[in-house]
Amino acid sequence: MTSLLSAELSATCNALGTLNKKTGKYMIDDFTLNTVKDLIRYLRRDGEDHEIRRHFGQTKVLQTDLLPMLVDHWENLELFDVTLRLIVNLTNPALLLYREEVPVERTARHNYLQILSHLQSYKEDAFTKVEIWQVFVKKLAKILEIDWSERDEDTGLIIERILILIRNVLHVPADLDKERRPENDASVHDQVLWALNQSGILDIILYMSSENEKQYFMHILEIISHLLREQNPTSLADAALQRSVDEKLRDDQELLSLRVSETKQRLNKVKQYSATRHSRFGGTYVVQNMKSISDNELICLKPLNKISSLNFNGSTKTKLVKPKNRRPVESGILERRSAFAIRLFLKEFCIEFLNSSYNPLMHYVKDVLVRAKAQQNDESYYLWAIKFFMEFNRGHKFEVGLVSETMSVPMFHYVQQQMEKYYDMIKVEKKKFSAWVRRLHLALRAYKELLNTLLVMDKSTDPDVKESAKVLKSNIFYVLEYREFILATFLNYDDAKMPRSYLVDLVETVHLFLKMLEHYCKKTGLVVQKKVRKKPKSKKQKPQAQKSKSVQQSIPVWEEVRPQLAAVLSSNIEEFPPPFDAASDVPIDQQKEDCMKKIQKLMREHKYENAIGTFRAAREVWPEEGIFGVPGIEADEELDMLETIYSTDLGVELENMENGTETQENSEYDEEEDEEEEERTTAVVETDFDFQDFVQRFCHPRVVSACASLLEGCERNPPHTNHCLLKMLHRIAWDCKRPSMMFQATLFLVFQKVLASPMPHLKELEKFAIFILRKFTEIASKNPKAFIELLFWKTSKDAIEIELGYDLYNDGRDKPAKGVWTEEQEEELRKLYMENQANPATDQDVIDWILDNLIDQTRTRRGVIKKMKELGLIFRAPTKRSNKERVRERVPKEFSEEEDALLKELWDQYGESTDPMGLIMARMPRKRQKRSYVDRLLELGIIQDAKQCRKKRQGKSGKRDTDDKSDDNSSDSASSEQSDSEDDVRASPTPNKPNKTKAKPGRNKNANKTGAKGKEIQLSANEIGRLLIQAVDDGLIEGLKWLAESLEEVALDQEAEGYDPNSEGTPLVPISKDSVEAMNSKLFKKVLKGVGVVPPLDEQETYWRIPSSLHFETIRKRREIILKAINKELIIDGTAIDDKPNEVIEEQNQSESSDDDDLFERLRKMRDENVVNSLTKSNKSNARSNTKKSNSRKRSRSIDSSEENSREKMQKIDEADEENVDDDDILAFAKRTLQHTELPDTEDILLNLPTHSDDSDKEDDEIVLPAKRRKLRVMSDDD
């Protein structure tokens, strides 16, 4: 600091005022207020070395000027406010000034220690006086008389600053080297507590913690944690006018241990200085009859009275000491016994706090922490409060009601969640792990106290409390994660980072958990959750025709089912949950298909109530479609629809088989990988709990080494800690029959010390040591290598090998996994693969060839493929011939000149026919998608519009013609572009087809009520995700954040007020500039539609609305998708990406020449035809009777036979538009089944097939020749 700055600061401090020694009052003038403000400005401009702050500490301006001025002039509001701000600034913790890190650099460390010494002097010299705290009591009392709702902002700031000042003073650590206070003496911290109690500050804190001052609850909890940080809750609860019996025994044991240690030290000094001369001058001696390394006799430098005193070490070995910077930092938990008077009033304070404030304060604080409204890492004070006050409650007069807020299953989950978070942060922040270890220790002590309170509840005489404890234990022991967490905490212990005090609490916590779990299993038995691996069902490939035939044989006839369904329809069916998941990635059309299949399956399984309930629930979800009927439908019409669903072959049983035949390009690697993933999937099942198996998992070298390191200080350990350690080692050695895991030199040294110790509380450990040593001598007599094993920590497998022999190990639990590959086997696999690839002459399957030539003939095909993928030996398919055929079969993207000429010629010939593209595609030399041919015709200028390529269908009536005409005019000719596939057999995704049935007025009214402007096809989560990603890329992040906040507000309001789908929607009002700009974006409006927000209905509405029909859980799921997109964490399925633009497709009327009418369209048309035309129904019944008469004739209901029906008995079916020519289209077959009541025989099909020229016959034969079944086309007369 420069002399000029020092002089200026000194002059400013002198200008504050002066103390009148006669009157004892501090005198101020008119410039005092400005002077205090100048001091604040100086502190604001302080640098990183904090020289101005250190100067104020050296001049003691706080003790000599600021506090006396505050005491005498506290009624001056402005001066009090400014002076209080300055005092709070000067007393800020030193760690906060250095960003919560103790500086390492020499100069910065010196400055830090100097600031810390100034804070300690402030605490000792100024804040131990009662009159100073009385000023703040008067100020707080005056302010608290005003109701909290009537206070202004400045008054609230004064309360907060006073609370922060109290926190700062209590936060100052004690200077142990300077104080040197023994137990039961008043330290500086105790003196501050006494001043706070005498002035009435503690009473005000109690008052504020129990009233409506919730905004100060976090400050109050922090103050209480610093207030009681040095107190032991158990000893504080036992504080009384006379010492208790336990306290006397504890003091006697401490005194006895001190006397023993002093006696040892005195004897060591006597032995060290008893001789007149040093031992090294005692001469040289020779040990007779004992040879040295050479042939000479052994030389000894000391006179020996006994031969057993001979030491071969030469000199005493020094113990390895860890450097200070590598030692784990202790958690900073310093407990001492304060003066008797201090303990008495602190006990009364804790009792009052438990009775009046604990439950409401902890409830509010947890809510603040969960909602992330508090400062970072404030949960430390919360965890400390759980531990302290629950332990105090146990020690005083145990009442569960006083701590009911923190005694619940969610509290166990919260503490476990915090510990897992701290474990992760210790691994992430490797240089700052000490702070996270301290927080982890706090969470562990809180978890331990929860278990202790649960144990006391279980031992209670109150039956209600005992039943509550039983419920809590059943929940905790039932869930797999709670049990696994206890084991994980022990195995994650790291002695390089975690202190010894943490290990003590960890061992006691694990001991308590195992003790309660064992008692619960013995008393009541336990059914728990357990993760098991799913075994995939064996898939046997069978001919499809045979399977469909066998399935049809097992389906009951409709006439048997009809009366039962009619009876169920007439009865009242309970409401079923809607078969629609808005958050699912499955498209809406697929969900409709699944629902239809489910209804059919339920009817065939004779579950008629469930089938009808699902049918009616689906009607409520999709009322405007009409595919499941409309509201108010008659029972007869409903029964007819159910008959259609029942009789249609939807391929429910063949579903699993069809999924595997969608494409030929999937290699065998992908199939094998899918099967492996099915094997790896796990499920949670319930099973009987075996406590012994659970304890067996603690047979781990980390557990034994941790217990051994803690046993090294067994003389200093409390008796309960030694008991917990001994019980854990006893479970491993005796219960699990692994005594060999205790054969370790470190443990044997501990046993040696225990056997030589006269301490009475080590007798239990002495018995265990004798048991282990006897086992060691027994095993060492059979296995001489046991002495070498003392140098290593042993696993469960090693322990068994020591006892039974190294070649006789047969424990199946620790055997290596089946299918493990050695390095030699991996090298053999590489050589075989390279040899096979270098010899392309053979066409044998690669995997089969490798399996035949492997030495280990137990290998499976799946195992070989998996290992080849790990080694990088990956090729497209296992058979080389299939690769060559695949390359040979690829179709080029570009059309050749011959193809262009043939395409033009065929269009001139068949362009005016009913189905031009079907006829043209059958005669082209290469098989392509229909879209490719249409695009080529447009490029060549042969056609002007893609509509010319569509099928032309004759109408049945004038009304149908009119409808078809209007449909044709309203249909959109533009379709999404799809890239040509490299393989002509690749399946392309089927686009969603809009429905063409017009909604009835009733349904339009309902749609308007819910706020929908028009019928829309909702997007899947993948499509919404792509929209959101596009919006983020276009810079609409702020708008998306505003949308997410609005959705969360609506969800919170709905959760608080209850879900009411009939209420009015919530308008989305843009206020900020970003939200207004977002609402003007077309892309953002598409996002709104995708999320479920509806646009304004008419001119009377201005804003978009969040409909009330959306449940708050659904709203939160969609909000999470938006937030993931904003944070660039959204992952979408790449296989679902289509070339179509990501937009909400408005429903359009389907044109007359549409390629496909799905099953749902047929159901809707059937409903209309039932109402309009009764003749169709009679024809249908006649057809049914004809079907019964011809029942003896075998007819194939498969898709191949349905595609070969004659022109006389059914209309012509065009399959040219179907891009997947080899797969069974469920909806297409259902459509044809609905349209045609009678199926033709195979003989009729063959008789009615038209004859063609040689060329056409040859071309048709080319379609049928491949192994894959091709679909025949019925040709028109135009051919």
Side-chain angles (χ1 to χ4, degrees):
M1 179 184 294
T2 61
S3 57
L4 182 61
L5 179 59
S6 177
E8 187 175 355
L9 291 176
S10 300
T12 307
C13 293
N14 292 332
L16 285 171
T18 181
L19 181 65
N20 191 341
K21 295 182 179 180
K22 293 182 180 180
T23 59
K25 289 187 176 182
Y26 194 84
M27 310 297 294
I28 61 174
D29 55 16
D30 297 338
F31 302 102
T32 301
L33 179 62
N34 293 329
T35 306
V36 176
K37 291 180 179 179
D38 289 338
L39 294 178
I40 294 175
R41 292 191 191 98
Y42 285 133
L43 278 177
R44 194 179 299 159
R45 297 175 184 176
D46 203 359
E48 293 184 356
D49 54 355
H50 305 286
E51 56 181 357
I52 297 176
R53 184 180 298 273
R54 289 186 286 116
H55 182 273
F56 288 158
Q58 291 172 355
T59 56
K60 298 185 178 181
V61 65
L62 187 138
Q63 298 98 312
T64 58
D65 293 292
L66 296 179
L67 287 177
M69 180 172 58
L70 199 68
V71 171
D72 294 333
H73 304 280
W74 67 274
E75 294 181 351
N76 188 339
L77 298 180
E78 189 175 2
L79 181 62
F80 180 86
D81 187 23
V82 175
T83 308
L84 181 60
R85 285 168 50 197
L86 179 58
I87 293 174
V88 169
N89 195 342
L90 287 174
T91 57
N92 271 336
L95 275 176
L96 288 181
L97 301 176
Y98 287 91
R99 300 178 183 87
E100 297 186 3
E101 293 182 23
V102 178
V104 180
E105 195 269 329
R106 182 177 180 182
T107 304
R109 182 66 171 255
H110 174 74
N111 295 338
Y112 168 78
L113 294 177
Q114 190 177 7
I115 294 173
L116 190 60
S117 64
H118 292 160
L119 292 173
Q120 291 169 349
S121 64
Y122 294 161
K123 184 176 182 179
E124 182 177 4
D125 298 340
F127 292 102
T128 55
K129 299 176 182 178
V130 179
E131 57 270 12
I132 291 177
W133 293 111
Q134 285 177 346
V135 173
F136 297 111
V137 170
K138 294 176 185 177
K139 195 69 177 177
L140 284 173
K142 190 174 181 181
I143 295 174
L144 291 175
E145 289 177 357
I146 307 172
D147 189 69
W148 65 273
S149 60
E150 298 178 359
R151 297 181 204 143
D152 55 2
E153 186 177 357
D154 294 338
T155 307
L157 286 175
I158 290 176
I159 297 176
E160 189 171 0
R161 284 171 185 153
I162 293 175
L163 293 176
I164 292 174
L165 176 62
I166 299 172
R167 189 278 312 267
N168 291 347
V169 173
L170 293 174
H171 184 273
V172 177
D175 189 357
L176 300 179
D177 296 332
K178 181 180 178 182
E179 291 187 28
R180 296 183 178 273
R181 304 276 182 168
E183 298 284 341
N184 294 319
D185 194 7
S187 63
V188 174
H189 190 74
D190 291 342
Q191 295 174 25
V192 173
L193 297 183
W194 181 259
L196 290 173
N197 181 57
Q198 293 297 316
S199 61
I201 285 287
L202 296 184
D203 296 332
I204 290 182
I205 290 175
L206 280 174
Y207 172 79
M208 294 179 65
S209 65
S210 59
E211 290 296 325
N212 294 325
E213 310 294 339
K214 290 185 178 181
Q215 64 270 29
Y216 306 116
F217 275 5
M218 287 303 302
H219 292 292
I220 292 171
L221 185 61
E222 190 175 358
I223 289 171
I224 293 175
S225 67
H226 292 303
L227 194 74
L228 302 169
R229 68 183 179 200
E230 295 181 353
Q231 305 300 321
N232 184 290
T234 304
S235 61
L236 192 64
D238 293 337
L241 296 177
Q242 292 183 353
R243 286 197 307 167
S244 61
V245 178
D246 295 337
E247 194 172 356
K248 288 180 180 179
L249 290 175
R250 185 170 58 249
D251 293 343
D252 291 342
Q253 285 183 355
E254 291 178 2
L255 183 59
L256 179 61
S257 61
L258 288 174
R259 288 182 61 185
V260 170
S261 62
E262 287 178 358
T263 304
K264 281 186 177 180
Q265 291 178 3
R266 187 170 61 253
L267 289 176
N268 290 335
K269 287 182 180 180
V270 170
K271 289 180 181 180
Q272 185 176 359
Y273 300 109
S274 60
T276 56
R277 298 180 65 191
H278 199 274
S279 59
R280 72 183 59 174
F281 300 111
T284 304
Y285 302 89
V286 175
V287 182
Q288 291 183 354
N289 300 326
M290 185 176 290
K291 297 294 183 181
S292 64
I293 298 176
S294 62
D295 293 335
N296 299 326
E297 292 181 339
L298 182 66
I299 297 175
C300 181
L301 301 177
K302 295 180 182 180
L304 299 176
N305 296 327
K306 296 180 181 179
I307 193 63
S308 60
S309 303
L310 183 63
N311 187 6
F312 295 97
N313 290 334
S315 61
T316 306
K317 292 179 67 175
T318 58
K319 188 178 180 181
L320 181 63
V321 180
K322 220 179 247 187
K324 284 186 178 181
N325 58 347
R326 295 183 185 176
R327 295 181 201 168
V329 182
E330 283 295 332
S331 300
I333 301 172
L334 176 64
E335 292 183 353
R336 62 181 297 274
R337 193 179 303 166
S338 300
F340 180 68
I342 304 294
R343 281 186 287 154
L344 281 181
F345 80 76
L346 286 180
K347 177 182 178 181
E348 295 298 326
F349 175 83
C350 293
I351 293 172
E352 290 294 330
F353 181 77
L354 273 176
N355 289 326
S356 61
S357 307
Y358 179 80
N359 284 333
L361 184 137
M362 297 298 280
H363 176 77
Y364 177 80
V365 170
K366 185 180 180 183
D367 184 67
V368 169
L369 293 174
V370 170
R371 294 178 179 270
K373 294 181 180 179
Q375 295 181 0
Q376 195 174 8
N377 303 320
D378 272 355
E379 68 273 4
S380 302
Y381 303 112
Y382 182 73
L383 296 172
W384 173 90
I386 293 174
K387 186 263 173 188
F388 187 91
F389 287 103
M390 293 185 75
E391 184 177 351
F392 181 85
N393 184 44
R394 280 194 303 113
H396 182 246
K397 292 178 182 178
F398 180 70
E399 295 182 23
V400 184
L402 299 180
V403 292
S404 59
E405 178 59 35
T406 54
M407 196 59 210
S408 60
V409 175
M411 183 55 60
F412 278 91
H413 174 69
Y414 177 78
V415 176
Q416 178 176 332
Q417 199 175 26
Q418 293 300 318
M419 292 183 69
E420 291 172 351
K421 169 189 169 185
Y422 297 150
Y423 275 123
D424 295 338
M425 295 308 297
I426 288 172
K427 296 177 182 178
V428 172
E429 298 190 3
K430 297 182 179 179
K431 293 184 178 179
K432 302 177 183 178
F433 66 86
S434 58
W436 295 107
V437 170
R438 186 172 63 253
R439 297 181 185 114
L440 176 64
H441 194 181
L442 282 173
L444 178 65
R445 298 182 79 186
Y447 196 85
K448 171 187 168 184
E449 188 50 44
L450 288 171
L451 292 176
N452 275 319
T453 305
L454 188 58
L455 180 63
V456 175
M457 289 174 62
D458 195 32
K459 295 179 180 180
S460 175
T461 56
D462 189 351
D464 295 336
V465 175
K466 207 165 187 177
E467 185 63 26
S468 299
K470 185 178 179 181
V471 172
L472 284 173
K473 287 198 296 184
S474 63
N475 280 286
I476 294 168
F477 296 151
Y478 172 77
V479 180
L480 174 68
E481 285 73 16
Y482 289 121
R483 302 193 307 274
E484 295 294 326
F485 175 71
I486 286 295
L487 177 62
T489 52
F490 218 144
L491 298 182
N492 287 336
Y493 171 73
D494 186 359
D495 59 348
K497 297 179 180 179
M498 300 169 185
R500 188 175 184 275
S501 57
Y502 174 84
L503 182 58
V504 171
D505 288 322
L506 177 60
V507 170
E508 293 179 358
T509 304
V510 174
H511 168 76
L512 184 58
F513 187 88
L514 291 177
K515 177 183 176 182
M516 295 171 62
L517 181 59
E518 182 180 18
H519 181 265
Y520 189 84
C521 292
K522 289 180 180 178
K523 189 175 180 181
T524 60
L526 183 61
V527 177
V528 297
Q529 286 182 348
K530 182 180 179 181
K531 286 186 179 179
V532 296
R533 287 189 175 184
K534 287 183 178 178
K535 292 185 179 179
K537 297 180 180 178
S538 59
K539 299 181 180 179
K540 297 182 180 179
Q541 300 288 342
K542 295 183 179 179
Q544 192 171 357
Q546 295 180 4
K547 183 165 184 179
S548 62
K549 182 178 178 180
S550 62
V551 169
Q552 285 185 1
Q553 290 176 357
S554 62
I555 298 175
V557 184
W558 167 252
E559 296 302 329
E560 299 177 2
V561 177
R562 181 184 179 92
Q564 302 180 34
L565 275 174
V568 175
L569 282 171
S570 61
S571 62
N572 294 327
I573 303 296
E574 296 180 359
E575 293 185 0
F576 276 68
F580 172 69
D581 185 6
S584 174
D585 291 339
V586 181
I588 296 177
D589 289 346
Q590 184 63 37
Q591 292 193 40
K592 294 178 188 176
E593 285 186 31
D594 296 340
C595 179
M596 191 71 70
K597 294 175 183 178
K598 181 180 178 182
I599 295 171
Q600 185 191 69
K601 185 177 180 181
L602 290 172
M603 286 192 294
R604 291 181 177 181
E605 292 176 354
H606 307 288
K607 299 177 181 179
Y608 306 118
E609 292 83 357
N610 297 341
I612 295 174
T614 306
F615 183 73
R616 292 177 177 175
R619 182 190 307 157
E620 296 179 0
V621 175
W622 296 290
E624 70 280 356
E625 301 287 342
I627 55 178
F628 298 99
V630 294
I633 188 173
E634 295 182 0
D636 295 338
E637 298 178 6
E638 205 169 14
L639 192 61
D640 290 339
M641 284 190 169
L642 290 173
E643 178 187 359
T644 305
I645 297 173
Y646 184 85
S647 303
T648 304
D649 185 7
L650 298 179
V652 175
E653 290 81 9
L654 302 177
E655 185 177 354
N656 294 332
M657 297 284 294
E658 291 173 356
N659 290 337
T661 59
E662 287 184 358
T663 176
Q664 290 181 344
E665 195 173 356
N666 291 334
S667 65
E668 186 173 343
Y669 285 121
D670 296 331
E671 297 173 0
E672 299 288 350
E673 187 175 5
D674 292 339
E675 293 178 1
E676 291 167 9
E677 288 178 358
E678 290 178 1
E679 284 186 348
R680 289 195 296 266
T681 55
T682 58
V684 178
V685 298
E686 290 186 345
T687 182
D688 292 332
F689 181 69
D690 190 348
F691 178 76
Q692 192 59 37
D693 286 347
F694 182 69
V695 176
Q696 194 86 27
R697 300 178 63 191
F698 284 87
C699 297
H700 198 281
R702 286 190 179 183
V703 176
V704 181
S705 63
C707 293
S709 65
L710 201 55
L711 270 179
E712 291 180 9
C714 58
E715 296 178 348
R716 304 189 307 271
N717 292 340
H720 178 66
T721 303
N722 285 335
H723 171 73
C724 296
L725 287 169
L726 187 58
K727 185 62 178 177
M728 176 56 68
L729 296 178
H730 182 268
R731 291 184 191 276
I732 297 173
W734 178 260
D735 297 348
C736 300
K737 296 179 175 56
R738 300 288 191 274
S740 301
M741 294 186 71
M742 307 296 134
F743 298 168
Q744 221 282 334
T746 305
L747 265 177
F748 277 24
L749 289 175
V750 174
F751 294 159
Q752 183 182 13
K753 185 166 54 175
V754 167
L755 293 173
S757 175
M759 304 294 288
H761 63 278
L762 297 179
K763 293 297 180 182
E764 191 179 15
L765 189 56
E766 185 179 345
K767 293 179 182 179
F768 180 75
I770 293 172
F771 166 74
I772 295 298
L773 291 174
R774 285 177 178 171
K775 278 287 183 182
F776 177 75
T777 55
E778 180 185 343
I779 292 175
S781 62
K782 302 175 183 178
N783 182 12
K785 296 179 182 179
F787 295 97
I788 308 300
E789 297 286 356
L790 288 173
L791 303 177
F792 309 99
W793 299 105
K794 288 159 280 296
T795 62
S796 179
K797 173 186 174 182
D798 299 335
I800 294 178
E801 287 180 344
I802 292 172
E803 294 183 42
L804 303 179
Y806 296 97
D807 298 330
L808 301 176
Y809 177 68
N810 293 318
D811 193 349
R813 288 169 295 183
D814 296 320
K815 281 186 178 179
K818 186 179 180 181
V820 174
W821 292 71
T822 62
E823 294 183 2
E824 294 79 8
Q825 291 173 335
E826 291 179 356
E827 186 62 29
E828 179 192 5
L829 182 61
R830 283 195 193 92
K831 290 181 180 179
L832 289 174
Y833 172 77
M834 299 305 296
E835 181 182 349
N836 181 274
Q837 294 299 300
N839 182 21
T842 176
D843 288 333
Q844 184 183 1
D845 184 89
V846 176
I847 306 301
D848 293 340
W849 186 86
I850 291 176
L851 286 171
D852 294 341
N853 291 277
L854 275 175
I855 296 175
D856 186 3
Q857 290 296 313
T858 62
R859 298 293 179 186
T860 61
R861 182 182 185 87
R862 180 181 302 162
V864 170
I865 291 177
K866 181 180 178 182
K867 178 53 64 175
M868 292 178 69
K869 288 163 66 177
E870 292 178 1
L871 298 177
L873 309 176
I874 295 182
F875 45 92
R876 189 166 184 81
T879 305
K880 287 178 288 190
R881 176 187 293 178
S882 63
N883 283 338
K884 295 178 182 178
E885 291 178 356
R886 189 183 306 278
V887 173
R888 195 164 50 242
E889 289 175 359
R890 284 181 180 172
V891 179
K893 289 178 113 179
E894 302 296 333
F895 283 73
S896 63
E897 295 181 358
E898 294 79 5
E899 287 179 307
D900 290 342
L902 180 59
L903 185 63
K904 186 176 185 303
E905 180 182 351
L906 291 174
W907 178 261
D908 294 340
Q909 183 177 356
Y910 301 112
E912 301 299 328
S913 62
T914 307
D915 181 18
M917 293 309 300
L919 301 174
I920 292 174
M921 290 175 63
R923 289 162 174 75
M924 291 298 291
R926 289 195 177 101
K927 305 304 172 188
R928 303 177 186 267
Q929 296 180 2
K930 178 183 176 181
R931 182 71 258 167
S932 302
Y933 290 112
V934 174
D935 292 342
R936 190 60 181 171
L937 289 171
L938 290 170
E939 291 176 5
L940 296 175
I942 300 174
I943 61 174
Q944 303 301 323
D945 194 351
K947 292 181 181 178
Q948 301 177 23
C949 298
R950 295 185 176 179
K951 290 189 299 182
K952 302 175 180 59
R953 184 176 301 164
Q954 296 178 357
K956 292 184 179 180
S957 61
K959 181 180 179 181
R960 175 66 182 269
D961 292 338
T962 306
D963 292 343
D964 292 342
K965 184 177 181 181
S966 62
D967 291 344
D968 185 70
N969 293 335
S970 61
S971 63
D972 189 359
S973 63
S975 61
S976 60
E977 296 180 359
Q978 298 179 355
S979 60
D980 293 341
S981 61
E982 295 179 2
D983 200 334
D984 61 320
V985 296
R986 180 190 289 266
S988 61
T990 304
N992 296 332
K993 292 182 174 63
N995 301 313
K996 72 176 184 178
T997 304
K998 295 182 179 179
K1000 290 186 178 182
R1003 291 195 297 272
N1004 289 335
K1005 184 178 179 180
N1006 189 21
N1008 291 336
K1009 183 178 179 180
T1010 57
K1013 187 175 182 180
K1015 292 186 290 183
E1016 296 180 356
I1017 298 176
Q1018 297 185 9
L1019 299 178
S1020 66
N1022 269 331
E1023 294 168 334
I1024 296 175
R1026 291 195 292 274
L1027 271 179
L1028 291 170
I1029 292 174
Q1030 185 179 355
V1032 171
D1033 295 339
D1034 290 353
L1036 297 175
I1037 295 179
E1038 296 299 328
L1040 292 176
K1041 288 181 179 178
W1042 165 68
L1043 176 59
E1045 291 174 1
S1046 303
L1047 290 175
E1048 179 62 19
E1049 290 176 2
V1050 173
L1052 289 173
D1053 294 340
Q1054 193 182 111
E1055 189 175 7
E1057 299 173 2
Y1059 174 63
D1060 183 11
N1062 297 324
S1063 63
E1064 189 176 356
T1066 305
L1068 202 62
V1069 183
I1071 298 176
S1072 62
K1073 180 180 177 182
D1074 296 324
S1075 59
V1076 174
E1077 291 178 355
M1079 291 301 296
N1080 293 330
S1081 171
K1082 294 182 178 179
L1083 176 60
F1084 190 75
K1085 291 180 180 179
K1086 295 174 185 177
V1087 172
L1088 291 178
K1089 290 182 179 179
V1091 172
V1093 183
V1094 296
L1097 283 176
D1098 47 29
E1099 295 79 4
Q1100 296 180 356
E1101 291 188 2
T1102 307
Y1103 303 110
W1104 290 59
R1105 291 180 179 273
I1106 302 174
S1108 59
S1109 58
L1110 287 178
H1111 196 266
F1112 59 86
E1113 292 182 355
T1114 305
I1115 294 175
R1116 285 202 172 98
K1117 288 180 182 178
R1118 299 183 182 185
R1119 174 180 173 271
E1120 289 175 4
I1121 296 176
I1122 296 173
L1123 294 178
K1124 285 183 179 180
I1126 294 173
N1127 298 327
K1128 301 190 184 299
E1129 299 175 354
L1130 187 61
I1131 301 175
I1132 60 175
D1133 187 4
T1135 61
I1137 299 176
D1138 197 1
D1139 293 336
K1140 296 187 300 181
N1142 295 323
E1143 60 182 2
V1144 180
I1145 307 172
E1146 297 286 342
E1147 185 181 7
Q1148 301 173 353
N1149 293 326
Q1150 191 177 13
S1151 64
E1152 179 188 7
S1153 61
S1154 62
D1155 298 336
D1156 201 5
D1157 288 330
D1158 56 5
L1159 171 63
F1160 310 135
E1161 177 67 22
R1162 288 303 186 196
L1163 287 174
R1164 183 168 58 251
K1165 290 169 63 177
M1166 180 182 177
R1167 178 205 66 201
D1168 297 335
E1169 291 171 2
N1170 285 336
V1171 178
V1172 177
N1173 194 355
S1174 60
L1175 183 60
T1176 306
K1177 188 172 181 182
S1178 62
N1179 293 335
K1180 194 172 184 180
S1181 60
N1182 294 333
R1184 191 185 302 116
S1185 62
N1186 294 333
T1187 306
K1188 290 182 180 179
K1189 294 177 182 178
S1190 58
N1191 205 13
S1192 60
R1193 302 169 64 185
K1194 295 184 179 179
R1195 291 174 180 155
S1196 175
R1197 301 281 266 176
S1198 65
I1199 295 173
D1200 293 318
S1201 62
S1202 67
E1203 291 166 352
E1204 297 174 358
N1205 290 334
S1206 65
R1207 183 175 64 254
E1208 296 177 359
K1209 294 188 177 181
M1210 62 182 295
Q1211 291 183 352
K1212 179 181 61 178
I1213 301 174
D1214 181 14
E1215 299 295 336
D1217 294 344
E1218 297 183 4
E1219 297 168 357
N1220 193 353
V1221 297
D1222 56 333
D1223 284 349
D1224 296 336
D1225 192 344
I1226 299 172
L1227 298 181
F1229 181 72
K1231 171 194 70 178
R1232 292 188 292 275
T1233 306
L1234 286 172
Q1235 185 175 355
H1236 308 291
T1237 57
E1238 182 176 2
L1239 293 176
D1241 296 330
T1242 308
E1243 301 167 359
D1244 298 331
I1245 296 172
L1246 296 175
L1247 289 174
N1248 288 280
L1249 282 175
T1251 57
H1252 302 284
S1253 62
D1254 294 337
D1255 294 337
S1256 62
D1257 291 340
K1258 184 178 180 181
E1259 290 171 359
D1260 289 340
D1261 291 340
E1262 290 177 358
I1263 300 175
V1264 186
L1265 277 177
K1268 284 282 185 179
R1269 289 177 282 109
R1270 303 294 185 181
K1271 299 180 179 178
L1272 293 175
R1273 297 172 180 81
V1274 181
M1275 312 307 294
S1276 65
D1277 294 334
D1278 297 335
D1279 297 350

